[in-house]
Amino acid sequence: ASPFFNHSGEVTGSIGVFGPTARINDADVPKIARLVVDAAATLSTQLGYRSKRPGSAAPEAEGARKIRRRS
């Protein structure tokens, strides 16, 4: 999941993907994660959010971009 932001830089919501392990394996997670983060960046832009750092949807969320692995 990834948050998206409004024109004031406040979290407005989040977008995410979930599914059964029979359809989503560990090898798919990085690709799916990138698509989710990119979609959140697009939503943020459409809501008027302007990042202070190029290529980053939300600098405030930089530390939260770790992908959780199933154990």
Side-chain angles (χ1 to χ4, degrees), residues 30-62:
K31 178 181 175 184
I32 294 168
R34 180 79 260 155
L35 292 169
V36 169
V37 169
D38 289 347
T42 298
L43 285 169
S44 295
T45 300
Q46 291 173 345
L47 293 171
Y49 180 77
R50 299 293 177 254
S51 174
K52 293 180 177 121
R53 292 182 356 187
S56 175
E60 300 85 356
E62 195 66 31

Side-chain angles (χ1 to χ4, degrees), residues 5-71:
F5 300 83
N6 65 16
H7 66 282
S8 299
E10 299 167 323
V11 174
T12 302
S14 65
I15 184 172
V17 173
F18 65 92
T21 57
R23 291 188 180 188
I24 300 175
N25 61 48
D26 287 343
D28 295 328
V29 172
K31 178 181 175 184
I32 294 168
R34 180 79 260 155
L35 292 169
V36 169
V37 169
D38 289 347
T42 298
L43 285 169
S44 295
T45 300
Q46 291 173 345
L47 293 171
Y49 180 77
R50 299 293 177 254
S51 174
K52 293 180 177 121
R53 292 182 356 187
S56 175
E60 300 85 356
E62 195 66 31
R65 288 193 175 177
K66 294 179 184 173
I67 299 172
R68 295 182 192 167
R69 297 278 182 194
R70 292 184 292 270
S71 50

